[in-house]
């Protein structure tokens, strides 16, 4: 006599061509039959509890529940169950990966390792104002207001906003800009605007040589946001500063482990001061 597993295997073979998919589904269902208490919501929830106690990742548990959903559809077709309990059970949510960020001492090491005037001004500005790569690359000299310590940038959608810059960033910008009054702010060796590709290579190279980490321009943006939130900035103000349309995008920074950073920070940001 065929067992439920035998019949389910035939059911899978009639619908899926990949042997690996069939094997995975069968393995998950066999585990369920071994650990569960029944073909109902309580049985599935009991199985789910066991999986969490095992310390399995959310993605692994989600995959096992997908296998069970197929199994219960099979049972429903056979008349064994009336409904699929997976239709009403809350699935574990896949956590959004937390953004990478550098700690304060790593930011200092990165900046101090940059001797080129243009590159120092560029990285200082990205970190100072938590800029996206596109925002810093599209800047023109006339967008920089050194007297009032601010820059004018274009956000997504073309909206123009002013953002503050630190005295440190302003000092390095002044040294780099010199007597230029217009045109692209950051230039390549041919006098043209820097490209996104070159910016990413530049930051990666400096980070690998100073803090031994492979980072992108966005890492600097995440780092500044993390540092500001940790030093007491209201999350609504941070949302406007970063240009997030939704507070949910900003709230990810509240989930970072900032205990060590908090101990390293004073009430005012150490890199906001012009310490030379």
């Amino acid at each position: 006599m065929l067992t439920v597993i035998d019949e389910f295997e035939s059911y899978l073979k009639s619908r899926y061509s990949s042997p690996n998919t069939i094997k995975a589904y069968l393995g998950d269902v066999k585990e369920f039959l071994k650990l569960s208490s029944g073909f109902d919501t309580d049985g599935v929830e009991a199985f789910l509890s066991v999986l969490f106690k095992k310390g399995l990742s959310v993605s692994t548990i989600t995959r096992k529940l997908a296998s069970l959903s197929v199994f219960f559809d099979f049972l429903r077709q056979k008349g064994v169950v009336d409904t699929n309990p997976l239709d009403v059970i809350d699935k574990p949510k896949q956590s959004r990966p937390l953004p990478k960020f550098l700690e304060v001492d790593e930011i200092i090491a990165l900046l101090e390792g940059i001797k080129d005037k243009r590159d120092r001004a560029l990285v200082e500005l990205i970190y100072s104002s938590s800029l996206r790569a596109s925002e810093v690359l599209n800047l023109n000299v006339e967008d920089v207001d050194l007297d009032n310590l601010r820059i004018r940038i274009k956000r997504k959608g073309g909206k123009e906003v002013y953002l503050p810059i630190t005295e440190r960033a302003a000092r390095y910008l002044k040294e780099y800009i010199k007597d230029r009054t217009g045109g692209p702010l950051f230039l390549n060796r041919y006098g043209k605007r820097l490209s996104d590709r070159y910016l990413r290579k530049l930051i990666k190279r400096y980070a690998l040589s100073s803090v031994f980490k492979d980072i992108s321009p966005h890492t600097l943006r995440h780092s500044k946001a993390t540092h500001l939130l940790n030093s007491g900035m209201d999350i609504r103000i941070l949302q406007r500063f970063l240009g997030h349309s939704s507070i949910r995008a900003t709230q990810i920074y509240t989930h970072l482990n900032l205990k060590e950073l908090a101990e390293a920070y004073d009430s005012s940001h150490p890199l906001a001061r012009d310490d030379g």
Side-chain angles (χ1 to χ4, degrees):
M1 179 180 293
L2 292 177
T3 65
V4 171
I5 285 294
D6 292 331
E7 292 185 41
F8 182 53
E9 183 174 4
S10 298
Y11 174 83
L12 292 174
K13 288 179 178 178
S14 69
R15 286 162 174 77
Y16 301 97
S17 58
S18 169
N20 289 332
T21 298
I22 294 172
K23 182 179 179 181
Y25 279 16
L26 286 174
D28 293 336
V29 170
K30 286 178 181 178
E31 184 179 16
F32 169 74
L33 294 175
K34 181 180 178 181
L35 299 175
S36 180
S37 57
F39 293 166
D40 54 13
T41 303
D42 290 341
V44 174
E45 289 182 341
F47 178 60
L48 193 57
S49 176
V50 172
L51 297 181
F52 276 115
K53 287 179 181 178
K54 285 185 175 183
L56 300 181
S57 67
V58 171
S59 60
T60 297
I61 294 174
T62 300
R63 192 209 74 215
K64 290 180 180 294
L65 293 182
S67 299
L68 284 189
S69 184
V70 174
F71 179 60
F72 276 101
D73 281 340
F74 157 73
L75 293 179
R76 184 163 52 186
Q77 289 184 27
K78 284 181 58 66
V80 177
V81 298
D82 296 326
T83 60
N84 186 338
L86 271 299
D87 291 339
V88 296
I89 285 180
D90 290 332
K91 316 297 189 301
K93 289 183 169 48
Q94 192 75 34
S95 59
R96 181 180 176 183
L98 295 178
K100 295 179 181 178
F101 71 97
L102 298 182
E103 297 191 22
V104 176
D105 58 346
E106 292 177 314
I107 287 289
I108 294 173
L110 170 65
L111 294 172
E112 294 302 322
I114 303 175
K115 305 306 178 184
D116 181 87
K117 288 185 178 181
R118 181 203 64 186
D119 296 351
R120 181 65 183 265
L122 175 61
V123 179
E124 285 274 2
L125 183 58
I126 294 173
Y127 176 73
S128 164
S129 301
S130 196
L131 298 178
R132 298 180 176 93
S134 60
E135 292 169 347
V136 72
L137 292 174
N138 289 328
L139 282 171
N140 294 318
V141 175
E142 52 267 38
D143 295 322
V144 179
D145 183 354
L146 295 177
D147 292 333
N148 294 301
L149 295 178
R150 66 179 188 172
I151 56 173
R152 180 180 61 205
I153 67 166
K154 283 188 177 181
R155 292 291 196 196
K156 293 179 179 179
K159 180 181 179 181
E160 289 191 350
V161 298
Y162 283 91
L163 290 180
I165 61 175
T166 62
E167 291 183 6
R168 279 177 67 107
R171 177 162 61 85
Y172 286 106
L173 281 170
K174 185 175 183 179
E175 291 178 2
Y176 170 61
I177 295 172
K178 293 184 177 178
D179 57 355
R180 285 194 291 141
T181 58
L185 177 57
F186 293 105
L187 305 172
N188 61 23
R189 58 181 175 174
Y190 304 108
K192 304 295 184 181
R193 192 182 299 274
L194 281 183
S195 68
D196 180 84
R197 181 180 180 184
Y198 185 84
L199 173 63
R200 294 178 187 281
K201 288 175 63 177
L202 179 149
I203 288 180
K204 178 177 180 177
R205 172 163 50 86
Y206 281 122
L208 286 174
S209 64
S210 59
V211 296
F212 312 106
K213 290 185 176 180
D214 184 354
I215 70 169
S216 70
H218 229 60
T219 308
L220 298 176
R221 174 174 162 85
H222 289 319
S223 299
K224 181 67 175 192
T226 300
H227 299 165
L228 287 173
L229 185 62
N230 190 59
S231 60
M233 177 176 278
D234 182 88
I235 194 168
R236 293 287 179 181
I237 297 176
L238 181 60
Q239 177 191 0
R240 294 199 298 272
F241 181 66
L242 296 174
H244 289 160
S245 58
S246 168
I247 192 68
R248 293 182 64 184
T250 316
Q251 285 174 330
I252 191 171
Y253 296 103
T254 66
H255 300 300
L256 296 170
N257 182 5
L258 302 178
K259 184 176 180 180
E260 292 183 3
L261 284 174
E263 295 172 352
Y265 255 70
D266 297 323
S267 58
S268 61
H269 195 288
L271 295 186
R273 301 190 298 270
D274 187 2
D275 296 326

